[in-house]
Amino acid sequence: TGPEPRFKRAPCIMGYTWIDLLCSLSIMGTVLTYALPLPQTWVGRSDMMLARQRFEQDWRRARWSAQIMGQTVRLQPITSCAAKPASSGWPCGWQTVVESSGQLLKETRLPSGLSVSTKPSDTWRIDAWGEPLSGGASIQFQAGTATTPPSELLCMNVLGRLRRMQGATCSD
């Protein structure tokens, strides 16, 4: 046999050295740190879209209910909200209520991490003919994740039609 080698090889696993494995793991870790915020953005975006769709459905249902009952109906913020601090806007969700009797028709809760703010008022009213009394109002849906996707905005014209927009204002 010949002379013993001066340096011994690092231990191998299936032909790869430990340095190869550590480099591969560090590259995978770097890629994962950039990729992990993406699912959070997707979840935030889907929460916003779901809340916006629910609001649009509740708005149409409230207009229909006002016509059927012949009474003024309003969409208002949920007041009993233990999970979130009381703030401006609709932090927990909204209720559809008959204005004269206070009868609750429907309540929609928001997923956690989603905030909804309305302009100019906190109550959207619909008269007995199904016509809005809150013309020019807007409602903004914003996810509170670390990598926040753009907010979604619903703008209502004086006829009660809702229009979806991206951004913070209802200007054309």
Side-chain angles (χ1 to χ4, degrees):
T1 68
E4 196 167 309
R6 196 169 182 188
F7 298 104
K8 290 189 172 188
R9 278 188 82 191
C12 304
I13 298 176
M14 296 191 306
Y16 297 104
T17 64
W18 285 108
I19 292 175
D20 293 336
L21 291 173
L22 289 177
C23 287
S24 299
L25 286 175
S26 66
I27 290 171
M28 287 177 16
T30 304
V31 168
L32 282 176
T33 58
Y34 288 108
L36 282 179
L38 288 175
Q40 292 175 349
T41 304
W42 296 335
V43 168
R45 188 168 287 134
S46 69
D47 284 348
M48 280 192 308
M49 188 173 65
L50 181 65
R52 180 186 45 78
Q53 288 172 348
R54 285 183 179 167
F55 184 82
E56 288 174 342
Q57 290 171 354
D58 289 349
W59 176 249
R60 284 191 294 273
R61 186 177 292 128
R63 290 184 74 178
W64 180 79
S65 297
Q67 286 178 336
I68 295 297
M69 293 185 303
Q71 295 183 357
T72 303
V73 174
R74 68 176 184 253
L75 273 77
Q76 64 186 19
I78 295 174
T79 54
S80 59
C81 182
K84 297 181 184 180
S87 63
S88 64
W90 300 2
C92 293
W94 54 86
Q95 299 172 328
T96 307
V97 178
V98 177
E99 191 165 89
S100 61
S101 65
Q103 176 189 2
L104 178 65
L105 299 176
K106 186 168 188 327
E107 182 173 282
T108 302
R109 296 255 175 199
L110 291 174
S112 62
L114 188 68
S115 65
V116 174
S117 57
T118 59
K119 293 178 185 173
S121 69
D122 280 345
T123 302
W124 288 33
R125 297 177 63 225
I126 303 161
D127 67 13
W129 296 278
E131 298 298 324
L133 300 172
S134 307
S138 67
I139 184 165
Q140 184 175 22
F141 300 90
Q142 179 72 44
T145 59
T147 56
T148 304
S151 63
E152 290 201 13
L153 187 67
L154 279 178
C155 302
M156 181 175 53
N157 65 11
V158 293
L159 299 175
R161 293 191 182 109
L162 295 176
R163 181 177 54 168
R164 295 180 208 132
M165 298 188 74
Q166 297 287 331
T169 62
C170 285
S171 63
D172 290 329

